[in-house]
Amino acid sequence: MRVFDRVLLFGSSILTAESFAAMTSSESLNYVSKPASDAASQVGSPVKYPVELYPDIDAYEEGMLDVGDGHKLAYDDVSGNPTGIPAVFLHGGPGGGVSPRSRRFFDPKKYKIVIFDQRGSGKSSPNASDDLEGSLVGNNTPELVADIDKLRRHLKIDKWGVVLGGSWGSTLALAYAQAYPNDMKALILRGVFLFGNDEVDYLFTNGGTYGQSPAAWESYCKYIEDSSDDWEREKKNLLGAYWERLNSKDLSVRNAAASAFVGYELSISKTYIDSAFIEECLATPSLLIPFAVMEVQYMRNNGFMHRGQLLENVDKISHLKVAICHGRADYVCQPQAAWRLYKALQKEGCKDVNLEIVAGAGHSDSEPGLVDAMVRASDKFAAELS
């Protein structure tokens, strides 16, 4: 587990990172379902695919960008080739944040690689784990879209060669592309999520995941039931119930709600679930709190977009190169969303759109088959855009 040497402030409560981790390991796993068996030890020794991530590299530039509303974005690093094809990585969640691993989907000899933490997440300020109220000010899709443009101009990049986004990052990538269609050349989308009502309901409201992951869904519901004084009412609005607890004045309630919510999603995100990884995430306040708070906030508000917006506006991006990579066993973002987007782009005359459904892959961008597909797509665009 990661070690934090700072003190985390939650309202009038003070919680050291060490005590948070101790609480998480013993209590917060209560509502995380047990993973399926892994007799072949795929978690520790995953299947090898022809293409893997590029090696680690060092950044040559990093900084904080004031984007307004009290937010400063941490563009964690600019790396790769300073004169290469500009590429930006959009993380998931919302609230997921980036890591140095994010840059490894791109060939550092050919790309100028930019990664950053969105509002309220990661190293950006304020982080939801330190200042929940401040992190939510101006935290919506139109502002996040505008932030990407501000970052592009700040870095003096004329046009992105590639915008890569996975899960919520795919949503944000599409919203950004439709708002600034002439400021990029290509999109790589993984685990597409279009914010259709059926997508949100499937994942968080009507038990759609019960079909593949019954224990995970029951655990997600069970936390609310066990902490509710009106289960008949709250079971009809689970997202609202989680939101109420995530905004509680009681520190222990906020932490428990975040752990149950994040634990649910992580427990269905991969073909082979790594319990140690889930435990690490639940013991990391700067990851756990933004992930839960931002995701529930966005899901409750339809992603701050009108219904069907991303499919309605595909005509605006039909001139772009688009690569879509989606796991066949993605139980977080269903493959039908990727299929809908693919067919809509084809209908609008997009001449360079490819959909690759990856057998044996779930949702996470750490799935070996998805890594293979995404890196092949970035390599293809590097050759075409050079």
Side-chain angles (χ1 to χ4, degrees):
M1 299 207 177
R2 301 180 187 181
V3 177
F4 296 85
D5 56 8
R6 60 193 179 104
V7 174
L8 304 171
L9 303 177
F10 294 83
S12 60
S13 304
I14 300 179
L15 180 70
T16 66
E18 289 78 7
S19 61
F20 186 103
M23 176 206 68
T24 301
S25 62
S26 61
E27 299 175 8
S28 300
L29 297 175
N30 289 344
Y31 294 96
V32 179
S33 61
K34 181 180 178 181
S37 65
D38 178 21
S41 299
Q42 290 292 302
V43 170
S45 303
V47 172
K48 294 291 185 181
Y49 276 75
V51 179
E52 298 181 341
L53 294 172
Y54 281 96
D56 282 318
I57 55 172
D58 293 327
Y60 57 78
E61 180 181 351
E62 61 181 34
M64 300 288 287
L65 175 63
D66 190 332
V67 291
D69 300 318
H71 290 277
K72 293 183 179 180
L73 297 189
Y75 53 98
D76 282 27
D77 60 63
V78 181
S79 59
N81 183 346
T83 61
I85 302 163
V88 63
F89 180 98
L90 304 181
H91 67 70
V98 295
S99 74
R101 179 182 178 277
S102 304
R103 66 174 85 109
R104 297 175 60 196
F105 291 96
F106 305 96
D107 183 343
K109 294 181 180 179
K110 297 182 179 179
Y111 282 103
K112 177 178 183 177
I113 307 159
V114 179
I115 66 174
F116 72 98
D117 292 310
Q118 296 158 30
R119 295 189 180 201
S121 308
K123 297 178 184 176
S124 290
S125 175
N127 182 286
S129 66
D130 301 307
D131 180 0
L132 177 60
E133 184 176 352
S135 73
L136 293 173
V137 174
N139 199 324
N140 57 64
T141 301
E143 294 296 344
L144 266 58
V145 164
D147 288 349
I148 302 169
D149 184 61
K150 291 175 183 177
L151 180 60
R152 179 188 63 81
R153 289 186 279 111
H154 175 74
L155 296 175
K156 297 180 172 55
I157 292 172
D158 178 60
K159 182 180 295 191
W160 300 111
V162 174
V163 176
L164 186 158
S167 191
W168 156 253
S170 76
T171 311
L172 184 57
L174 286 167
Y176 173 66
Q178 292 171 4
Y180 296 92
N182 297 317
D183 290 342
M184 70 188 68
K185 297 179 181 179
L187 287 169
I188 299 175
L189 307 173
R190 185 267 310 167
V192 172
F193 194 80
L194 301 173
F195 260 97
N197 283 3
D198 59 330
E199 295 170 87
V200 177
D201 288 347
Y202 157 85
L203 188 55
F204 296 117
T205 302
N206 65 15
T209 61
Y210 181 86
Q212 301 84 26
S213 305
W217 175 257
E218 287 193 356
S219 295
Y220 169 77
C221 297
K222 185 65 172 170
Y223 166 70
I224 298 299
E225 182 178 6
D226 286 352
S227 58
S228 179
D229 57 9
D230 190 354
W231 171 236
E232 289 302 311
R233 174 182 63 84
E234 291 198 308
K235 71 181 181 181
K236 298 175 183 177
N237 183 14
L238 291 168
L239 282 172
Y242 268 100
W243 181 249
E244 181 179 328
R245 288 156 177 77
L246 288 167
N247 283 272
S248 171
K249 294 180 180 180
D250 187 327
L251 171 63
S252 64
V253 171
R254 294 200 298 273
N255 293 337
S259 295
F261 185 86
V262 174
Y264 160 66
E265 187 162 337
L266 291 179
S267 69
I268 63 172
S269 67
K270 299 181 69 173
T271 307
Y272 298 96
I273 302 300
D274 183 353
S275 296
F277 173 73
I278 294 179
E279 192 168 341
E280 178 183 1
C281 288
L282 299 191
T284 307
S286 61
L287 293 177
L288 174 69
I289 303 300
F291 195 137
V293 168
M294 300 305 170
E295 186 155 359
V296 175
Q297 168 78 328
Y298 276 69
M299 293 297 162
R300 290 175 65 247
N301 289 281
N302 201 54
F304 298 95
M305 296 177 287
H306 69 255
R307 183 183 298 181
Q309 176 176 325
L310 297 179
L311 285 179
E312 283 180 9
N313 293 331
V314 292
D315 61 303
K316 296 180 179 180
I317 60 172
S318 61
H319 61 291
L320 299 177
K321 299 175 181 290
V322 183
I324 306 170
C325 312
H326 208 108
R328 172 70 72 192
D330 189 336
Y331 302 139
V332 176
C333 300
Q334 300 174 90
Q336 62 175 302
W339 182 254
R340 289 172 183 168
L341 177 62
Y342 173 65
K343 298 298 287 186
L345 283 166
Q346 282 190 322
K347 187 174 182 179
E348 290 298 333
C350 184
K351 296 179 180 179
D352 194 349
V353 56
N354 180 68
L355 169 62
E356 182 171 350
I357 300 292
V358 182
H363 178 69
S364 172
D365 69 9
S366 63
E367 296 282 70
L370 287 174
V371 169
D372 173 89
M374 294 165 69
V375 174
R376 280 191 286 104
S378 73
D379 286 347
K380 174 179 178 290
F381 288 154
E384 294 173 353
L385 299 175
S386 296

